[in-house]
């Protein structure tokens, strides 16, 4: 591959800037996102004037180009894993980038000093001297163009950075297809479970205890005490001897009347308060009658 004077100046400038840009480039590559085509990070293409070319730019098969891990900076380094021992530029069928034995063409590259970083890798297809890049050019089609970090004497790929290109058969003119980061699905933030608001329990209204209705005590109907019927005192019969004025024992008639009066008094006492007056009147009449008889007898005797 022929490199003109201008290219040499650019290369010298690239080397002189390596120590200054190395740390920034490494940090950029370490945080790069995996691409939809499988690349471990984005790859940006620059010409010999250190100008970044757009994806629509048409490259010649023999045209010099340099890869960078940083957009807008040709000195963006690619960082290989620490266990990497070799680095290669390669051309492969899409999907076979990590299988060294299937590469269409490849060429060795070098780490930047004692690091495991790669600065300004040359990726021009014409520079891939191993295997047959000519056959790939003549066949045309889509290929992966980039660099791979390896171990185990270059057999095992530890990381690969590449772009997909579309090649015109025979002429080898090609363009880079668009690249994009693999969408990262954010880890959903768990929605906190709402704490249920306790439902206020209504205090039951105390049921009033019904006041016991007192059962009215039946007022006993007074038993009517029957009013005893006054028994009229028997008027003692007048002894014929006394009534007719015939002689006889005046004391005899008087004793009978006294006995009758005494009997009437007892009957009066036994009949109760209700019959007191009638019995009393009867007794008095009896006594009066007896006294009248005695007096009459005395008057008769006196006349004689």
């Amino acid at each position: 591959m022929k490199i003109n004077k201008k290219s040499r100046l650019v290369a010298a400038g690239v080397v002189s800037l390596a120590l200054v840009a190395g740390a920034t480039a490494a940090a950029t590559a370490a945080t790069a996102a995996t691409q939809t085509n499988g690349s471990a990070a984005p790859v940006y293409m620059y010409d010999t004037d250190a100008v970044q070319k757009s994806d629509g730019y048409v490259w010649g098969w023999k045209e010099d180009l340099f890869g960078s891990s940083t957009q807008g900076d040709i000195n963006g380094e690619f960082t290989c894993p620490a266990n990497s021992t070799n680095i290669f530029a390669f051309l492969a069928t899409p999907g076979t980038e990590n299988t060294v034995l299937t590469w269409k063409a490849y060429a060795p590259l070098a780490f930047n000093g004692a690091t495991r970083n790669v600065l300004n890798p040359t990726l021009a297809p014409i520079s891939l001297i191993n295997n047959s890049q000519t056959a790939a050019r003549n066949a045309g089609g889509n290929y992966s163009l980039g660099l791979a970090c390896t171990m185990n004497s270059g057999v095992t790929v530890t990381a690969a950075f590449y772009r997909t290109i579309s090649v015109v058969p025979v002429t080898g003119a090609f363009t880079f297809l668009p690249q994009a980061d693999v969408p990262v699905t954010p880890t959903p933030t768990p929605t906190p479970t709402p704490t249920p608001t306790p439902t206020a329990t209504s205090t039951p209204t105390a049921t009033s205890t019904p006041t016991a209705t007192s059962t009215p005590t039946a007022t006993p109907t007074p038993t009517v005490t029957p009013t005893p019927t006054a028994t009229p005192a028997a008027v003692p019969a007048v002894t014929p001897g006394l009534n007719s004025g015939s002689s006889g024992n005046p004391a005899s008639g008087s004793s009978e009347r006294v006995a009758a009066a005494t009997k009437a008094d007892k009957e009066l006492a036994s009949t109760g308060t209700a019959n007191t007056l009638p019995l009393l009147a009867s007794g008095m009449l009896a006594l009066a009658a007896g006294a009248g008889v005695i007096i009459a007898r005395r008057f008769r005797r006196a006349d004689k």
Side-chain angles (χ1 to χ4, degrees), residues 1-25:
M1 178 177 63
K2 182 179 179 181
I3 300 177
N4 57 27
K5 182 177 181 180
K6 186 176 181 180
S7 297
R8 292 192 187 94
L9 292 175
V10 171
V14 167
V15 173
S16 65
L17 292 174
L19 296 177
V20 177
T24 302

Side-chain angles (χ1 to χ4, degrees), residues 233 260-261 264-265 268 276-292:
D265 290 338
L268 178 62
T276 301
L277 291 178
L279 294 177
L280 182 58
S282 298
M284 291 178 66
L285 289 177
L287 290 175

